[in-house]
């Protein structure tokens, strides 16, 4: 069986094509999904890619969250379907309350674009099973609204439940609380992070590292063995 | 037509680097004596029909679910005559 992974395009999405490509390279079929369609075309998993959906008007992800496709995604995510939100996709997942917390303007107020070192804190999610806990990876980061924020109790709960999935290493690029770069829901099927694994899947492109590929191979293995 | 104003502000405990940047610029521009600045959003809603309890309840729902993200922001609803 070939796993089918949906990639949502909102108006203003930028990284849908790179995400589709990454899914293909990892060995699955990428299925384009349109924000106005409720129909998820029977995909096995969904990626919300990066960009500036609806121009980030109001707040990043605030308008996309109410799009027809998100109603179906929230329903399926609550039923266990793997969902990955990258950058703007992470912001959408927070606005949709699939993940706790919110993203704010970087403390430095600048758009940051760099290769970012991360520590994978847990392999116990649908999207990180092919990493080892404690492994360090380097993938591109590019955002201006990347400061992860939640109240102390939520942060304590995330840590206690092993739901901090990625932490920034060496540099905290945006002032995220507790250096958090990515988190998961309680079940581990929904993961969001600010850096971009889909930009690090081919040796010829970018830094020459393919540290992001395991996101996609992780979920494919899970889907094929399911 | 009545106007309802919704003010949205970051919660007090949330760092506001934009407000800080404004505050730091003030002495340079000759505006002394401002110890802190917090930056927020103001929405002016022109309401069709009467602003009764039901209309205000809907506006509060709008503010809570859409205009503000209550994880990081507080909001205030005021009726302007």
């Amino acid at each position: 069986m070939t796993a089918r992974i949906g990639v949502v395009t909102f108006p203003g999405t930028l990284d849908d094509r790179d995400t589709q490509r990454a899914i293909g390279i990892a060995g699955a079929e990428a299925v384009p999904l349109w924000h106005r369609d409720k129909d998820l075309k029977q995909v096995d998993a969904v990626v919300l890619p990066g960009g500036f959906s609806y121009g980030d008007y109001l707040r990043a992800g605030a308008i996309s969250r109410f799009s027809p496709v998100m109603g179906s995604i929230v329903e399926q995510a609550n039923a266990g379907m793997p969902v990955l939100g990258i950058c703007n996709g992470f912001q959408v997942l927070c606005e949709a309350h699939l993940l706790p917390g919110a993203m704010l303007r970087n403390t430095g107020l600048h758009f940051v674009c760099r290769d970012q070192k991360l520590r994978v804190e847990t392999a116990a999610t649908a999207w990180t099973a092919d990493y080892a806990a404690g492994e360090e990876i380097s993938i591109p980061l590019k955002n201006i609204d990347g400061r992860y924020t939640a109240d102390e109790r939520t942060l304590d709960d995330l840590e206690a439940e092993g739901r901090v999935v990625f932490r920034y290493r060496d540099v905290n690029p945006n002032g995220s609380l507790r250096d958090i770069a990515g988190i998961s829901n309680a079940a581990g099927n929904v993961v969001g992070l600010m850096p971009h694994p889909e930009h690090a899947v081919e040796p010829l492109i970018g830094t020459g590292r393919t540290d992001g590929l395991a996101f996609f191979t992780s979920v494919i293995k899970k889907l094929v063995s399911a | 037509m009545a106007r309802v104003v919704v003010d949205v502000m970051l919660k007090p405990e949330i760092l506001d680097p934009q407000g800080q940047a404004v505050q730091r610029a003030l002495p340079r521009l000759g505006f002394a004596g401002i110890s802190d600045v917090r930056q927020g959003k103001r929405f002016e809603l022109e309401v069709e029909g009467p602003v009764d309890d039901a209309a205000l309840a809907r506006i509060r729902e709008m503010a809570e679910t859409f205009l503000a993200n209550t994880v990081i922001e507080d909001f205030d609803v005021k009726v302007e005559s």
Side-chain angles (χ1 to χ4, degrees), chain A residues 58-59 62-63 65-66 95 97 101-107 109 147 149-150, chain B residues 10 13-18 21 24 41 43 65-69 71-73:
Chain A
L58 188 59
R59 295 177 304 277
I63 298 176
R65 172 225 164 165
F66 290 100
E95 284 283 343
H97 307 303
M103 238 67 65
L104 284 160
R105 183 61 45 99
N106 297 346
T107 45
L109 299 176
R147 172 167 47 119
T149 306
Chain B
L10 282 176
E13 67 271 23
I14 303 270
L15 177 70
D16 175 15
Q18 294 183 97
R24 280 197 303 269
K41 294 177 189 149
F43 299 87
T65 55
F66 185 47
L67 299 181
N69 178 345
V71 174
I72 47 173
E73 295 166 326

Side-chain angles (χ1 to χ4, degrees), chain A residues 11-63:
Chain A
T13 295
L14 301 178
D15 298 322
D16 41 350
R17 296 294 292 270
D18 273 25
T19 304
Q20 290 168 20
R21 199 175 151 73
I23 288 166
I25 289 167
E29 180 191 349
V31 180
L33 299 175
W34 182 235
H35 68 112
R36 283 167 72 176
D37 291 341
K38 279 188 186 164
D39 180 13
L40 297 185
K41 300 182 182 170
Q42 297 183 310
V43 293
D44 306 302
V46 166
V47 181
L48 303 178
F52 296 87
S53 59
Y54 291 93
D56 278 355
Y57 302 142
L58 188 59
R59 295 177 304 277
I63 298 176

Side-chain angles (χ1 to χ4, degrees), chain B residues 14-77:
Chain B
I14 303 270
L15 177 70
D16 175 15
Q18 294 183 97
Q20 288 178 342
V22 172
Q23 191 269 336
R24 280 197 303 269
L26 293 176
R28 230 172 29 238
L29 303 174
F31 300 102
I34 305 298
S35 63
D36 190 28
V37 174
R38 306 278 293 171
Q39 182 177 316
K41 294 177 189 149
R42 171 185 168 102
F43 299 87
E44 298 182 345
L45 312 176
E46 304 299 333
V47 182
E48 295 171 354
V51 181
D52 51 17
D53 287 352
L56 276 174
R58 284 292 284 165
I59 288 169
R60 285 204 185 85
E61 187 188 343
M62 179 203 309
E64 185 156 7
T65 55
F66 185 47
L67 299 181
N69 178 345
T70 55
V71 174
I72 47 173
E73 295 166 326
D74 294 324
F75 67 88
D76 184 43
V77 177

Side-chain angles (χ1 to χ4, degrees), chain A residues 58-139:
Chain A
L58 188 59
R59 295 177 304 277
I63 298 176
S64 322
R65 172 225 164 165
F66 290 100
S67 62
V69 76
M70 282 309 298
S72 308
I73 288 172
V74 169
E75 202 180 292
Q76 290 300 309
N78 287 330
M81 183 181 73
V83 176
L84 175 67
I86 302 167
C87 196
N88 190 222
F90 184 17
Q91 294 159 340
V92 174
L93 290 178
C94 287
E95 284 283 343
H97 307 303
L98 278 174
L99 293 173
M103 238 67 65
L104 284 160
R105 183 61 45 99
N106 297 346
T107 45
L109 299 176
H110 289 287
F111 189 95
V112 175
C113 183
R114 65 194 306 272
D115 290 312
Q116 177 68 48
K117 198 187 268 189
L118 305 175
R119 187 172 59 222
V120 181
E121 298 284 6
T122 173
T125 81
W127 300 92
T128 56
D130 273 357
Y131 294 103
E135 187 176 343
E136 292 199 342
I137 63 174
S138 185
I139 61 177

Side-chain angles (χ1 to χ4, degrees), chain A residues 203-221:
Chain A
L204 271 177
I205 293 177
T207 55
R209 303 175 66 114
T210 57
D211 290 5
L213 193 59
F215 277 78
F216 305 100
T217 56
S218 294
V219 78
I220 291 167
K221 268 187 206 158

